[in-house]
Amino acid sequence: MGRKSNRAKEKKARRLEERAAMDAVCAKVDAANKLDDPLAAFPAFKKYDRNGLNLQIECKRVTSLNPLSVEWAFELTRANMQTLYEQSEWGWKEREKREEMNDERAWYLLARDADSAPVAFSHFRFDVECGEEVLYCYEVQLESRVRRKGLGKFLIQILQLIANSTQMKKVMLTVFKHNHGAYQFFREALQFEIDETSPSMSGCCGDDCSYEILSRRTKHGEASMGHTHGGGHCGGCCH
């Protein structure tokens, strides 16, 4: 009886440890989501004055944005991405994409010109993926007139900065393999790696999938490599 009892105690202790670890992960996500402005501590990143551009950068919850700005972001995403979606197994699902972009958990980085008109944005969320607290970038979209001027890279660097300051472990994103420019941009210019949860790594569908999940670890993620807790799941929690 003693040996069985000890095994039961050890199993219970492991469950309690995993639960405590997941509670700590969710607490970080909740704390990040309670911020008024994740960019407030970094005023130098609230402007982009390079390569002929003079832009102001803001970071807001979708619930604090003018609905016209969200509609602009949706229309830009449709213009830039609809054909790429239609070339994938996902297809373009307009209602689902609109709901995703208006979800109350959504945060937006918006770049505005001198007339306060939006010209670029990133939609991101603080979430949990496979037991780790992450900043997940859903979209980064630029109008054609502001491309190839370093702005896209600047927006992703802001996301990395925010992820570090909120103690997230990774910045993650999904990219279509057939979107060659974007894939090369993230893998080479920004040094994102193929995440272990990506289909090509996990073996769930391999080459049949039209996308990869990419990630880049923050300093907090680098420090905790090898200590991921199995209590998480591949999908969001803490809602």
Side-chain angles (χ1 to χ4, degrees):
M1 284 295 293
R3 190 177 301 168
K4 185 176 180 181
S5 177
N6 285 338
R7 282 201 300 268
K9 287 180 180 178
E10 289 170 2
K11 190 174 181 180
K12 182 178 180 181
R14 281 197 300 272
R15 284 201 306 268
L16 290 172
E17 180 185 352
E18 289 175 356
R19 181 55 190 264
M22 183 51 59
D23 286 347
V25 167
C26 287
K28 289 180 181 177
V29 171
D30 289 343
N33 275 319
K34 288 176 181 174
L35 293 172
D36 289 329
D37 179 3
L39 204 50
F42 310 102
F45 288 85
K46 289 196 167 192
K47 60 183 178 180
Y48 187 78
D49 188 9
R50 304 176 198 169
N51 302 322
L53 298 178
N54 185 9
L55 308 173
Q56 298 297 314
I57 313 290
E58 62 185 28
C59 185
K60 291 184 176 181
R61 291 291 290 261
V62 68
T63 49
S64 300
L65 274 179
N66 184 320
L68 291 176
S69 295
V70 184
E71 182 63 22
W72 164 85
F74 174 80
E75 291 296 341
L76 180 61
T77 301
R78 178 164 59 181
N80 289 350
M81 298 298 295
Q82 182 172 353
T83 299
L84 290 164
Y85 271 87
E86 289 171 346
Q87 292 168 349
S88 77
E89 65 269 29
W90 293 348
W92 174 256
K93 299 179 177 66
E94 188 154 319
R95 181 180 59 81
E96 291 180 13
K97 176 58 71 173
R98 193 180 291 277
E99 289 175 355
E100 174 186 282
M101 295 182 71
N102 282 277
D103 190 289
E104 64 180 9
R105 295 165 292 171
W107 286 88
Y108 280 82
L109 277 180
L110 271 176
R112 297 183 183 274
D113 64 16
D115 297 320
S116 295
V119 297
F121 80 94
S122 175
H123 161 206
F124 69 95
R125 300 185 194 178
F126 301 105
D127 212 337
V128 176
E129 289 287 333
C130 297
E132 290 190 306
E133 55 272 40
V134 305
L135 186 157
Y136 209 109
C137 175
Y138 280 68
E139 303 284 349
V140 57
Q141 303 292 342
L142 285 68
E143 291 191 346
S144 57
R145 62 191 171 106
V146 296
R147 292 177 196 157
R148 300 192 179 279
K149 296 178 183 292
L151 178 59
K153 185 174 183 180
F154 187 73
L155 293 178
I156 296 297
Q157 288 171 334
I158 290 176
L159 295 186
Q160 292 172 313
L161 182 71
I162 291 173
N164 265 310
S165 68
T166 53
Q167 300 183 48
M168 301 294 107
K169 297 288 178 61
K170 301 176 183 177
V171 175
M172 298 181 70
L173 55 91
T174 303
V175 63
F176 288 126
K177 294 176 183 176
H178 52 283
N179 189 357
H180 302 296
Y183 187 85
Q184 185 177 33
F185 171 68
F186 286 112
R187 293 283 281 128
E188 297 181 11
L190 290 167
Q191 315 218 314
F192 274 66
E193 302 290 338
I194 298 175
D195 194 77
E196 59 265 27
T197 63
S198 192
S200 65
M201 299 289 281
S202 64
C204 70
C205 58
D207 292 336
D208 293 334
C209 282
S210 63
Y211 67 92
E212 295 279 15
I213 299 172
L214 306 182
S215 65
R216 182 169 172 175
R217 286 194 171 269
T218 65
K219 61 183 180 182
H220 302 284
E222 292 286 355
S224 66
M225 285 186 71
H227 298 285
T228 303
H229 295 273
H233 61 282
C234 293
C237 80
C238 315
H239 307 322

